[in-house]
Amino acid sequence: MKDVAVKANVSTATVSRALMNPEKVSQATRNRVEQAAIEVGYLPHALGRSVKRNESRTILVIVPDICDPFFSEIIRGIEVIAAAQGYLVLIGDCAHQNQQEKTFIDLIITKQIDGMLLLGSRLPFDASKEEQRNLPPMVMANEFAPELELPTVHIDNLTAAFNAVNHLHELGHRQIACIAGPEEMPLCHYRLQGYVQALRRSGIIVDPHYIARGDFTYEAGAKALEQLLSLPVPPTAVFCHSDVMALGALSQAKRLGLQVPRDLSIMGFDNISLSEFCDPPLTTVAQPRFDIGREAMLLLLDQLHGQTVNSGSRLLDCELIVRGSTAAISAKD
């Protein structure tokens, strides 16, 4: 606290007020103290966690993109457990990270949150390994980023993708393309590995032209499919890293006059609600999204209650759901 006071050119009493009772100091002083606290690595949230009046009973959930319907069931799983334990859940949208970064830091420094759940693979602000140790308890849900050394709840994305692509191969497809998600996301890396391994296991040469990238939006799926269908030998089946991109691809296929699955089989991933009600219904990999959120919140509660929680993976089962968007290659004839 003395270091913060020197850095901000205020008294230690002012530091205490700015961090614990921010309404008692001016906004300018509060900003100066908070910035100094960040620079010297002083985060008072780690102090006195067992004192009841210092608990906010609030959890911050960091979502990569609040517009992506995939996250709704994970958040519902979090909410159900949080509400039962008397916790309020705040949602932070990482898609607008630049504007929100200071808000997230303010919530931590002023002790307005007790813990964080990350639904993506990155912190919503820059923090070194040392600084991470001073942050509130955190759990990662859905993603896996070993460098953050956090307890993590997710599925085996590599095996799930392998099984999905293998299903397309068993239907007789040999020209199997992949609409992958962003390269920097770990789960996309594992799903792409599963795609590659399934092809190699089947004796199919991996053609890099058959791999298109998207950003998990409908538009990206449509654009990627158009790119793939323009190849000299277009694919007969497409494995997508998300249902949203698969639905975009399905819509684009129809616009181009193709019949799914007669002319093209399309496979999704996630089993969002829309996948069951599109035409044709989407073959996909069902993730236990509610359970991912539920288990992640339970792990965070264990930490908040003082229990030791080891970092690393808690794997949940997933399931291949076969619907009408995939068919045997002979169905074209």
Side-chain angles (χ1 to χ4, degrees):
M1 195 178 283
K2 288 178 183 177
D3 292 339
V4 176
V6 170
K7 191 89 174 175
N9 196 26
V10 296
S11 68
T12 53
T14 299
V15 171
S16 179
R17 280 196 296 274
L19 297 180
M20 305 301 180
N21 304 102
E23 71 281 355
K24 294 185 178 180
V25 299
S26 69
Q27 185 65 47
T29 299
R30 177 186 168 190
N31 291 343
R32 202 161 73 245
V33 170
E34 288 179 1
Q35 187 57 43
I38 293 169
E39 290 176 10
V40 303
Y42 173 67
L43 295 178
H45 195 102
L47 304 177
R49 290 198 50 79
S50 61
V51 182
K52 196 72 175 177
R53 58 189 172 85
N54 281 341
E55 293 181 355
S56 69
R57 309 293 290 181
T58 301
I59 301 301
L60 176 62
V61 177
I62 304 295
V63 185
D65 184 358
I66 198 68
C67 296
D68 191 331
F70 167 76
F71 295 107
S72 60
E73 274 295 287
I74 296 181
I75 294 171
R76 191 171 73 86
I78 293 167
E79 285 271 12
V80 166
I81 298 301
Q85 296 296 319
Y87 282 84
L88 176 69
V89 174
L90 298 181
I91 307 295
D93 184 5
C94 240
H96 308 100
Q97 180 176 337
N98 292 337
Q99 298 96 310
Q100 297 288 357
E101 185 169 335
K102 187 180 183 303
T103 302
F104 295 149
I105 293 173
D106 284 350
L107 287 171
I108 293 168
I109 287 179
T110 57
K111 302 180 70 176
Q112 294 180 60
I113 59 169
D114 290 340
M116 290 194 291
L117 287 165
L118 307 180
L119 304 194
S121 59
R122 292 183 299 176
L123 288 170
F125 45 79
D126 290 330
S128 66
K129 274 265 179 77
E130 193 61 39
E131 289 168 336
Q132 285 176 35
R133 294 190 181 97
N134 294 322
L135 293 173
M138 290 187 289
V139 172
M140 184 174 286
N142 176 53
E143 263 285 16
F144 178 58
E147 67 275 6
L148 289 180
E149 299 178 355
L150 296 177
T152 308
V153 182
H154 61 116
I155 66 164
D156 182 345
N157 283 283
L158 192 155
T159 301
F162 179 95
N163 292 337
V165 176
N166 190 56
H167 173 71
L168 294 173
H169 177 259
E170 289 176 343
L171 290 173
H173 295 280
R174 297 296 180 270
Q175 284 79 42
I176 303 172
C178 177
I179 299 179
E183 198 167 356
E184 68 274 9
M185 293 182 67
L187 66 80
C188 297
H189 171 74
Y190 293 122
R191 289 177 193 176
L192 189 58
Q193 271 192 313
Y195 164 79
V196 169
Q197 288 186 20
L199 293 188
R200 286 177 175 165
R201 179 73 64 86
S202 304
I204 300 173
I205 296 174
V206 179
D207 183 348
H209 295 102
Y210 272 20
I211 300 172
R213 289 278 180 183
D215 60 359
F216 287 141
T217 61
Y218 298 103
E219 294 81 5
K223 183 178 179 182
L225 185 74
E226 190 169 16
Q227 173 189 327
L228 292 168
L229 292 178
S230 69
L231 293 172
V233 181
T236 62
V238 180
F239 166 60
C240 303
H241 278 192
S242 77
D243 284 348
V244 169
M245 291 197 296
L247 291 170
L250 178 62
S251 176
Q252 182 66 18
K254 289 182 176 180
R255 276 197 292 269
L256 295 172
L258 299 178
Q259 291 188 37
V260 177
R262 193 192 75 175
D263 300 321
L264 179 72
S265 285
I266 297 177
M267 166 88 69
F269 202 111
D270 293 333
N271 197 33
I272 63 173
S273 297
L274 281 174
S275 67
E276 187 178 357
F277 298 103
C278 60
D279 181 29
L282 197 61
T283 297
T284 186
V285 176
Q287 290 207 63
R289 293 181 295 141
F290 179 89
D291 289 340
I292 288 173
R294 178 182 178 277
E295 293 301 318
M297 186 64 207
L298 288 172
L299 280 177
L300 185 59
L301 286 171
D302 286 345
Q303 291 186 73
L304 295 176
H305 296 155
Q307 298 179 32
T308 301
V309 177
N310 295 327
S311 62
S313 296
R314 278 77 172 167
L315 288 177
L316 300 185
D317 292 332
C318 59
E319 181 185 2
L320 180 63
I321 306 291
V322 178
R323 298 195 181 108
S325 67
T326 55
I329 191 80
S330 58
K332 291 174 62 179
D333 303 327

